[in-house]
Structure formats: structure tokens, C-alpha cells
Amino acid sequence: MKKPTSTAGAKRPAKAHRKTREELNQEARDRKRAKKHSGHASGSRANGSSASGSAAQQSKQKDPRIGSKTPIPLGVTDAPVIKQQKPKKSEKPMLSPQAELDMLENDERLDALLERLEGGEALNAEEQKWVDAKLDRIDELMQQLGLSYDDEEDEEEEKQDDMMRLLKGGN
């Protein structure tokens, strides 16, 4: 059988109290007021709130828009100051004359162009200028090293032979 239920003797859980509109509005205002006071103080950006921490921050965060602090003369000056630029060092390392001569003698481009010249082919102005510069450099290096061409020795011997023939009166 079923037990009789009595409403008078048993305690029910209390019904949740519903907040009125006024209570909800008041809680919202309190939350807003608490949230409003969580930021920085007014004027802290302009006044600089902490002196010790701001010096460290200023050195780290420099404004990139601020340029050089060097003074610029606004009027006409007697003599304009012009800084002379230092000549740039050549990227090529300095070679000894013998090493440079060996490098020029083994140059494939120079050999190819000289073969074209010997074959009777004409070079354009740029190639001819380059070949002349390289041959002049070879001549300078050979003079520095005290070397001479074998062709020059042969020509000197022929000149001496010609002079001997003239002196002897032979043809």
C-alpha cells in the first residue's frame, strides 16, 4: 500500500528566491564600478606614473620617427663641410707578381680571344679593350720580374746578324 503523504510534516527544499529587476540593476552597477577602477589612473600617460620604471622603458622603446640630433646649419656658411669618403678596398686579395702572371697566362678567356685574333677574326671593341689591358698587365709583370719574351731575343739576334752582314759588305 501506499504511504500517505503529508504536506504539513515534511520540509521541502525552499524555492529559489528570484531577484527583482532593481536588484539585478544594482548588481550590474556594482560590477561596472569595480571594472572601471581596475585600469590606470587618469593622466598617467602624460604625467609618468613611476619615475624609476619609466627611464628603463624609454631607453628600450625609442620612437623610430625621431631622427638624428646633429645640428643643421640654417644660414649660409663660409665653407661647406664635405666629408671625404674613404676608397673602398678591392675585394680581390693582393697577389704576388709571379702568381698574378701565372693566373693571366692560364686565363682561358684570354687564350680563346688570342686564338681568334691569330685566326684573322675581328673582335668587338669591348673584347679588344679587355685583351689589350690584360696584355699590358702581362708586360708590366714581366718587367717587374725581369723576364723577357723569347721572340724579342730572336729579333735581337736577327738584327745583330743583319748588322754583321752589312759590315762585312755581304748581301
Side-chain angles (χ1 to χ4, degrees), residues 78-102:
D78 294 337
V81 178
I82 300 173
K83 293 183 179 179
Q84 294 180 352
Q85 294 180 354
K86 295 179 181 177
K88 294 182 179 179
K89 294 182 180 178
S90 61
E91 295 176 6
K92 297 178 185 177
M94 294 297 291
L95 298 175
S96 67
Q98 182 63 41
E100 190 176 353
L101 182 64
D102 292 340

Side-chain angles (χ1 to χ4, degrees), residues 1 27 54 66 68 76 78 89-90 97 99 103 114-115 122 131 139 148 170:
M1 257 195 146
E27 286 179 6
S54 65
I66 297 174
S68 173
V76 178
D78 294 337
K89 294 182 180 178
S90 61
M103 185 181 71
L114 289 174
E115 286 178 13
V131 168
D139 288 339
S148 63

Side-chain angles (χ1 to χ4, degrees), residues 54-66:
S54 65
Q57 288 178 352
Q58 284 179 349
S59 64
K60 289 181 185 176
Q61 298 175 349
K62 260 190 174 174
D63 192 352
R65 295 172 294 177
I66 297 174

Side-chain angles (χ1 to χ4, degrees), residues 44-55:
S44 64
R45 185 170 161 209
N47 297 334
S49 60
S50 62
S52 62
S54 65

